């Protein structure tokens, strides 16, 4: 996974470079939700959503099923909560 940010922090007397990246380990707070952005014939927003899913794949499966039932509902918004971790380039002493 590509780091998202790198910066230096002073730990003790040394400057250490830290990088923030997505946490590779399974984490219970990782949640994904997709919401339909489609509209009915009269312009009423669909408001259907996947509910919280543990993986993005599960949320995408819901979206595929929703689009099968409503072929003109093809746009979705994504809300995800992911775990991040700070990793030093060199472990502080």
């Amino acid at each position: 996974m590509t780091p998202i940010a790198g910066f230096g922090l002073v730990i003790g007397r040394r400057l250490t470079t830290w990088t923030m990246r997505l946490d590779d380990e399974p984490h219970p707070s990782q949640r994904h939700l997709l919401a339909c952005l489609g509209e009915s014939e009269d312009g009423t927003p669909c408001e259907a959503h996947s509910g919280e899913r543990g993986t993005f794949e599960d949320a995408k499966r819901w979206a595929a099923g929703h689009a099968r039932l409503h072929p003109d509902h093809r746009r979705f918004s994504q809300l995800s909560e992911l775990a991040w971790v700070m990793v030093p380039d060199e472990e502080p002493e």
Side-chain angles (χ1 to χ4, degrees):
M1 174 84 28
T2 304
I4 192 132
F7 49 89
L9 293 174
V10 176
I11 305 285
R13 293 179 182 210
R14 281 186 10 177
L15 177 66
T16 303
T17 303
W18 292 71
T19 303
M20 185 175 208
R21 64 170 173 75
L22 283 171
D23 193 346
D24 296 333
E25 296 180 24
H27 197 275
S29 73
Q30 292 188 0
R31 301 179 290 194
H32 306 270
L33 182 141
L34 287 175
C36 180
L37 298 175
E39 297 179 345
S40 64
E41 296 277 329
D42 66 359
T44 305
C46 175
E47 297 184 354
H49 60 81
S50 64
E52 289 184 5
R53 305 292 172 114
T55 68
F56 187 53
E57 291 303 314
D58 286 343
K60 288 194 304 188
R61 277 192 283 280
W62 172 85
H66 183 74
R68 259 192 312 278
L69 295 173
H70 309 278
D72 56 333
H73 293 204
R74 300 177 183 185
R75 298 185 61 193
F76 299 86
S77 64
Q78 175 187 3
L79 177 63
S80 293
E81 180 179 334
L82 303 170
W84 292 82
V85 62
M86 294 293 295
V87 181
D89 289 349
E90 191 177 319
E91 285 294 331
E93 297 173 7

